[in-house]
Amino acid sequence: MQTLTVISGKGGTGKTSLLASFVALAGRSVIADCDVDAADLHLVLNPETQSEEAFFSSRIAVVDSHLCIGCGQCRDLCRFEAVEIVEKTGDRSAVIHGRDCEGCGVCERFCAAGAIHMEPRRTGLVLQSDTRFGPLVHAQLDAGGENSGKLVTEVRRRAKQLAKEKQLELVLVDGSPGVGCPVMASLTASDLALIVSESSISALHDMERVIQLLRQLRIPAMVCVNRHDQNHEVAQRILSLVRESDLELAGMVRLDPNVTQAQRQGVSVVEFCSTGAALDIAQVWERVLEKLISLKTNTRKS
């Protein structure tokens, strides 16, 4: 089993559009959408949900109003100002505002009446769905939900387990944007990372940071320059960075209105047509596939 993770650093480079086309070109594989903060791969794959499960990754303080004596100790100790003392029918009691509670447990530790306890906090949903190309594991982070890195890890874990169960040899991962915890969770145990950049200064800057991250994680990487004809000068700077970083160029994808037209139809561009950007992406996929085969062969030899 091999895992390809498509990442970008900067959001909006076309990472998800490329992965959707890879999914169509790869045949049957397991797909993992690890962009849990703003998941949108399902808009192109039109999945049918088979199961969903609540995900808990942090804690929240809960007050037992029957035990609370309304002393205000918890309010005074809470540095996040999540506690309010309210009075009803002559009785005072603490009320904890969930959106402000950070789950530190200080209020529970110092509550003299033992009226506060910590409970698991739901932060999202993990879903498993069927698509026309294979199973998809994806997630929905609740509004205000935290620890998206843990949710990404769970998506990756389930995708790998699903690939083993269904005896599928390839896991295609739509990674999170940026270089933070969710991105590192997206990249864990990847055999190859494809960096998708675009011809803009911000994309070039973020690409430099992603390259540094991949070096630290010791993950082989290739680069695809999407919409390379938007800014020829910046595109050349990206190519120079690829050479200086001793990375392989997977290819260049032109700006093409067919990509947007395909998205409106709910399909990837390689399903929509076979010219323009679709042709470029197909060539990128061939080079990525060759690299995966090469890595697999070298692993077996070692």
Side-chain angles (χ1 to χ4, degrees):
M1 182 200 313
Q2 288 184 289
T3 300
L4 168 69
T5 302
V6 181
I7 56 175
S8 61
K10 173 186 175 295
T13 63
K15 164 181 63 67
T16 299
S17 297
L18 258 71
L19 183 76
S21 289
F22 288 172
V23 168
L25 294 166
R28 193 158 179 81
S29 58
V30 174
I31 313 144
D33 189 349
C34 289
D35 188 0
V36 300
D37 293 271
D40 56 4
L41 185 58
H42 62 280
L43 299 176
V44 179
L45 298 182
N46 301 308
E48 293 184 6
T49 302
Q50 302 300 310
S51 66
E52 61 179 51
E53 183 178 331
F55 180 75
F56 300 85
S57 66
S58 61
R59 305 187 306 164
I60 185 171
V62 177
V63 178
D64 185 337
S65 59
H66 297 291
L67 297 178
C68 181
I69 58 176
C71 65
Q73 176 82 339
C74 53
R75 177 195 58 196
D76 297 339
L77 290 174
C78 181
R79 62 182 301 179
F80 305 106
E81 299 182 352
V83 184
E84 179 183 1
I85 303 298
V86 299
E87 185 170 343
K88 293 182 180 180
T89 63
D91 293 326
R92 287 164 51 87
S93 178
V95 173
I96 297 177
H97 301 292
R99 285 182 295 182
D100 298 320
C101 176
E102 292 290 329
C104 67
V106 168
C107 54
E108 178 190 41
R109 171 67 178 80
F110 291 97
C111 179
I116 301 177
H117 64 279
M118 307 301 295
E119 290 185 355
R121 183 206 302 259
R122 173 187 143 154
T123 54
L125 282 175
V126 181
L127 302 96
Q128 181 177 321
S129 304
D130 284 339
T131 75
R132 58 190 180 279
F133 302 113
L136 167 68
V137 182
H138 49 136
Q140 296 175 359
L141 190 69
D142 288 344
E146 298 179 353
N147 293 319
S148 59
K150 291 184 178 180
L151 185 52
V152 169
T153 298
E154 181 64 14
V155 170
R156 285 292 307 272
R157 184 191 70 79
R158 295 194 183 203
K160 183 177 181 179
Q161 180 182 356
L162 195 57
K164 288 181 178 179
E165 291 174 358
K166 295 187 176 293
Q167 297 183 334
L168 295 173
E169 293 299 319
L170 184 61
V171 179
L172 296 172
V173 179
D174 186 7
S176 302
V179 291
C181 179
V183 180
M184 289 185 278
S186 299
L187 288 165
T188 300
S190 295
D191 295 284
L192 178 65
L194 178 66
I195 306 170
V196 179
S197 188
E198 65 174 358
S199 53
S200 68
I201 295 297
S202 57
L204 173 62
H205 171 72
D206 285 3
M207 179 179 160
E208 292 174 338
R209 300 171 64 202
V210 169
I211 290 172
Q212 294 174 4
L213 174 62
L214 290 170
R215 282 176 176 167
Q216 292 177 349
L217 297 176
R218 298 182 180 180
I219 296 174
M222 301 181 77
V223 175
C224 172
V225 186
N226 192 30
R227 299 189 286 264
H228 69 89
D229 44 353
Q230 282 188 138
N231 188 318
H232 179 73
E233 180 184 349
V234 176
Q236 291 303 310
R237 291 174 63 182
I238 292 174
L239 294 179
S240 296
L241 177 60
V242 171
R243 289 190 294 268
E244 293 167 4
S245 304
D246 198 25
L247 295 176
E248 292 185 45
L249 180 67
M252 314 268 280
V253 179
R254 73 196 80 176
L255 180 64
D256 187 347
N258 280 324
V259 176
T260 302
Q261 292 297 326
Q263 291 172 342
R264 289 175 177 170
Q265 298 296 322
V267 297
S268 63
V269 68
V270 298
E271 297 173 86
F272 185 75
C273 64
S274 58
T275 59
L279 178 61
D280 297 338
I281 293 172
Q283 292 173 346
V284 170
W285 171 246
E286 288 300 321
R287 296 188 186 102
V288 169
L289 192 57
E290 288 174 3
K291 182 66 174 180
L292 284 169
I293 293 172
S294 173
L295 290 170
K296 190 173 184 179
T297 302
N298 292 337
T299 301
R300 286 175 176 174
K301 288 181 179 179
S302 61

